[in-house]
Amino acid sequence: MDREQNELNEQLDPSRIPNHIAIIMDGNGRWAKKRHLPRVAGHKEGMNTVKKVAIAASNLGVKVLTLYAFSTENWKRPKTEVSYLMQLPIRFFSTFVPDLVKHNVKVMVMGDTSQLPKATQKAVRDAINDTADCDGMILNFALNYGGRDEIVRAVRGIATDVANKRLNLDQISAKTVDDYLMTAPLKELADPDLLIRTSGELRLSNFLLWQIAYSEFIFTDQFWPDFDANSLEKAIIKFQQRKRRFGGLINK
Ligand code: IPE
Ligand code: IPE
Ligand code: MG
């Protein structure tokens, strides 16, 4: 263990690890550009970061790690970049599933996967099946995910069930909305405690619009490929210094 890690471990309160951490993994392209490499080299390195950070989160006792991997708007990118990004889950899962199983990590995916290439869909399905019996951390990938798309689908689902009389109009509550969102399988862990965005951008880019109502936000200038276990620990330490009030007052 290096000195920095030792110091971080001293500052970290292991009894107050955020249950659900969500990360907007941004800055792969700029990381590559800085090194005069093609943008996809950044995505490749970013994939290695996912591996390291997922294991680190699992070791720290995080219960859900949600990673924004591809947004509903990312289709606007050049075809070659999109197709590289679509191959990444195949490469990622083919090499990493045994490690995930070893760490008892369960893979989940949210987003419209029906739009992904068939081989990518299969890689995702296999990873979900191969880790189905794991009951440790949930590694939840947002893949072709958009917060507005998610809300539109929830509204459609609710409207359909009201029309079919499966749901009563005056019974619709915030809990009902939770139940129709893509995070519904996460139950009481659906809302991230901590949201991290790398690369210095200060925006949400259509990530988890409903669920982040009371999340703590941490923005770091590090590009995603430079993010590591220590960066994660630092973010958690900052999170532990925040005072979450949820609209109320802190008990004296
Ligand atoms: C994040 O890195 C990965 C995805 C959005 C798929 P970017 O590709 O957005 O990298 P920058 O923001 O252009 O540096
Ligand atoms: C958000 O990053 C999406 C992912 C990290 C998958 P973008 O790079 O797509 O966001 P913008 O375009 O800078 O808002
Ligand atoms: Mg970006």
Side-chain angles (χ1 to χ4, degrees):
M1 204 183 290
D2 61 31
R3 233 187 86 198
E4 188 188 16
Q5 234 180 318
N6 263 327
E7 281 169 15
L8 290 174
N9 284 351
E10 271 169 34
Q11 290 174 62
L12 193 80
D13 177 353
S15 72
R16 291 195 304 124
I17 300 295
N19 284 326
H20 183 172
I21 301 180
I23 308 184
I24 303 173
M25 311 183 287
D26 197 16
N28 293 351
R30 278 163 284 168
W31 179 92
K33 194 170 173 218
K34 216 172 82 184
R35 286 163 178 75
H36 309 286
L37 296 167
R39 288 180 54 83
V40 294
H43 297 316
K44 185 174 175 217
E45 194 57 32
M47 179 180 80
N48 293 325
T49 303
V50 170
K51 297 182 180 178
K52 287 183 256 180
V53 171
I55 298 303
S58 161
N59 288 340
L60 284 166
V62 172
K63 294 197 172 120
V64 180
L65 179 65
T66 297
L67 300 177
Y68 204 5
F70 193 89
S71 78
T72 47
E73 286 74 47
N74 286 145
W75 297 105
K76 292 176 191 165
R77 296 185 179 197
K79 237 179 144 171
T80 48
E81 181 170 345
V82 168
S83 67
Y84 189 90
L85 288 168
M86 289 298 141
Q87 298 308 308
L88 271 188
I90 304 173
R91 292 170 65 169
F92 177 83
F93 290 126
S94 70
T95 56
F96 196 45
V97 162
D99 254 11
L100 293 176
V101 172
K102 202 173 85 194
H103 284 87
N104 198 22
V105 172
K106 188 202 220 41
V107 173
M108 217 183 99
V109 173
M110 59 178 196
D112 182 7
T113 50
S114 73
Q115 301 298 313
L116 308 179
K118 287 281 175 286
T120 310
Q121 291 187 37
K122 182 176 184 323
V124 164
R125 255 196 331 267
D126 289 349
I128 292 171
N129 290 335
D130 293 345
T131 60
D133 293 333
C134 298
D135 60 1
M137 187 181 82
I138 294 173
L139 179 57
N140 180 30
F141 286 98
L143 206 51
N144 194 21
Y145 169 90
R148 287 184 168 178
D149 178 59
E150 181 190 33
I151 290 170
V152 167
R153 285 165 194 271
V155 169
R156 277 195 202 134
I158 291 171
T160 304
D161 285 352
V162 170
N164 292 339
K165 307 220 186 302
R166 277 198 292 263
L167 193 66
N168 229 320
L169 191 58
D170 30 85
Q171 280 170 345
I172 296 175
S173 63
K175 167 75 170 63
T176 316
V177 177
D178 282 337
D179 291 343
Y180 284 77
L181 292 172
M182 293 169 177
T183 44
L186 298 171
K187 302 196 184 94
E188 74 283 359
L189 296 174
D191 298 349
D193 301 290
L194 169 60
L195 174 85
I196 301 169
R197 182 170 187 148
T198 58
S199 91
E201 305 298 352
L202 307 180
R203 57 176 171 264
L204 287 172
S205 304
N206 202 13
F207 195 38
L208 298 173
L209 299 178
W210 169 274
Q211 297 88 337
I212 46 89
Y214 274 104
S215 304
E216 295 295 328
F217 290 7
I218 289 181
F219 296 99
T220 160
D221 286 338
Q222 267 183 317
F223 294 138
W224 176 248
D226 291 325
F227 197 85
D228 61 11
N230 283 358
S231 320
L232 180 70
E233 285 203 27
K234 277 183 213 163
I236 296 176
I237 290 163
K238 271 196 194 158
F239 166 86
Q240 292 178 337
Q241 291 159 353
R242 301 273 176 92
K243 295 205 173 10
R244 302 183 80 187
R245 285 185 285 272
F246 300 99
L249 299 173
I250 299 277
N251 287 335
K252 288 132 295 230

